[in-house]
């Protein structure tokens, strides 16, 4: 396992649509996933997408028991999701504060679907089909946006609700 460099907003790879994974259970895929977990943990994140570490593949990981960056957030199951498909389960949106390892030191209030279904595969190609709501749904949508070349600032509707974390939330780490 290795901690990889996290690409930051402005890197052209972050604006690209990632390629689907076609070979499951390979040593190369397992190494990528191990590196993603190691990188996410080292950065204190709750999720990361393969493009954030320079790999244009449809792979995201997310999950935590507790997180210093989002202390009020309930646990999210540790998940590897490959070639995801997201479906909103109703029209209800919730706005919530988001940060991103590729946009360090900043937070913004972003609207997301409150309830979603997410489908895809695990590292061995076995199907995953889950529903999620609240923060869990927010994390999944945020990470999957990376696979279509979107970063959370492009979803912000009110830029008075976007800024540096230490200014907006001086009591929180980032």
């Amino acid at each position: 396992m290795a901690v990889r460099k996290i690409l930051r907003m402005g890197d052209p790879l972050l604006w690209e649509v990632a390629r689907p994974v076609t070979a499951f259970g390979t040593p190369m895929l397992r190494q990528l996933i191990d590196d993603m977990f190691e990188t996410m943990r080292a950065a204190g994140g709750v999720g990361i997408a393969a493009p954030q570490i320079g790999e244009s593949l449809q792979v995201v990981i997310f999950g935590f028991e507790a997180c210093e960056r989002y202390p009020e957030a309930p646990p999210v199951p540790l998940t590897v999701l490959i070639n995801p498909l997201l479906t909103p389960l109703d029209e209800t949106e919730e706005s919530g504060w988001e940060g991103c390892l590729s946009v360090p030191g900043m937070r913004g209030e972003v609207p997301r679907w409150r309830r979603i279904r997410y489908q895809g595969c695990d590292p061995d190609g076995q199907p995953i089909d889950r529903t999620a709501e609240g923060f869990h749904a927010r994390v999944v949508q945020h990470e999957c946006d990376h696979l279509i070349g979107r970063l959370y600032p492009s979803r912000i509707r009110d830029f008075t609700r976007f800024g540096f974390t230490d200014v907006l939330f001086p009591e929180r780490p980032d």
Side-chain angles (χ1 to χ4, degrees), residues 13 16-21 50-51 55-59 146-149:
L13 183 67
E16 293 178 13
V17 175
R19 297 183 323 272
V21 172
E55 301 291 339
S56 183
L57 289 170
Q58 292 184 17
V59 180
H146 285 290
L147 305 181
I148 60 169

Side-chain angles (χ1 to χ4, degrees), residues 12-148:
L13 183 67
L14 294 175
W15 305 118
E16 293 178 13
V17 175
R19 297 183 323 272
V21 172
T22 57
F24 295 89
T26 67
M28 201 155 76
L29 180 61
R30 293 202 185 283
Q31 183 65 56
L32 171 63
I33 292 165
D34 288 347
D35 289 354
M36 290 171 69
F37 274 111
E38 194 72 18
T39 303
M40 179 184 79
R41 287 185 185 115
V46 297
I48 198 167
Q52 290 180 274
I53 61 168
E55 301 291 339
S56 183
L57 289 170
Q58 292 184 17
V59 180
V60 298
I61 64 166
F62 52 87
F64 59 92
E65 285 296 315
C67 181
E68 193 174 302
R69 292 180 75 209
Y70 299 96
E72 72 288 345
V76 172
L78 211 54
T79 303
V80 176
L81 183 61
I82 300 173
N83 300 339
L85 171 66
L86 304 184
T87 308
L89 294 179
D90 59 39
E91 297 297 315
T92 307
E93 287 185 345
E94 286 181 336
S95 288
W97 291 98
E98 295 185 19
C100 182
L101 299 176
S102 291
V103 188
M106 301 193 83
R107 293 280 173 102
E109 192 175 63
V110 179
R112 298 280 186 189
W113 300 111
R114 188 179 70 77
R115 294 183 63 241
I116 63 166
R117 176 183 184 190
Y118 62 92
Q119 298 166 281
C121 297
D122 72 9
D124 295 315
Q126 297 302 306
I128 293 173
D129 189 341
R130 296 182 188 156
T131 60
E133 62 183 72
F135 192 75
H136 183 170
R138 176 170 300 282
V139 169
V140 175
Q141 291 171 82
H142 176 107
E143 296 310 331
C144 289
D145 266 359
H146 285 290
L147 305 181
I148 60 169

